[in-house]
Amino acid sequence: MAFSVAIAQDQTEFTVTLTDVGADKVEVLKRLRAVTGLSLFEAKDVVDGVPKKIKERASKSEATQIKNELEKAGAKVEVK
């Protein structure tokens, strides 16, 4: 009988997804632009189209920073 052994690896790249804007859409828009460098049009597109991926292949610290900033504005963010 053959057994496969899975080696646990630490994840190094994360996807940050905006799942809910919350009550203060304007503040979320401002913070989204600040942490991602998106243009006003691109950021508005993200905020209006939730759930929407904000950043793919982000480092753990970058993903955490984006999540924390957006949650301060009342948004809900998922990091996978």
Side-chain angles (χ1 to χ4, degrees), residues 43-78:
K44 185 177 181 317
D45 202 33
V46 170
V47 170
D48 289 341
V50 292
K52 195 93 162 186
K53 290 181 185 174
I54 299 170
K55 179 88 176 182
E56 293 181 295
R57 300 179 68 182
S59 67
K60 185 175 184 175
S61 63
E62 183 180 21
T64 302
Q65 178 191 9
I66 293 170
K67 181 177 192 253
N68 290 340
E69 279 300 311
L70 294 175
E71 286 181 342
K72 286 178 189 175
K76 291 185 182 174
V77 180
E78 184 177 89

Side-chain angles (χ1 to χ4, degrees), residues 9-77:
Q9 295 180 358
D10 288 337
Q11 185 174 350
T12 58
E13 294 181 340
F14 299 85
T15 300
V16 183
T17 305
L18 180 64
T19 58
D20 185 32
V21 177
D24 196 350
K25 186 176 181 178
V26 174
E27 186 62 27
V28 171
L29 185 71
K30 288 179 186 177
R31 289 181 188 253
L32 179 62
R33 291 189 67 212
V35 296
T36 62
L38 293 173
S39 71
L40 178 60
F41 179 76
E42 292 169 324
K44 185 177 181 317
D45 202 33
V46 170
V47 170
D48 289 341
V50 292
K52 195 93 162 186
K53 290 181 185 174
I54 299 170
K55 179 88 176 182
E56 293 181 295
R57 300 179 68 182
S59 67
K60 185 175 184 175
S61 63
E62 183 180 21
T64 302
Q65 178 191 9
I66 293 170
K67 181 177 192 253
N68 290 340
E69 279 300 311
L70 294 175
E71 286 181 342
K72 286 178 189 175
K76 291 185 182 174
V77 180

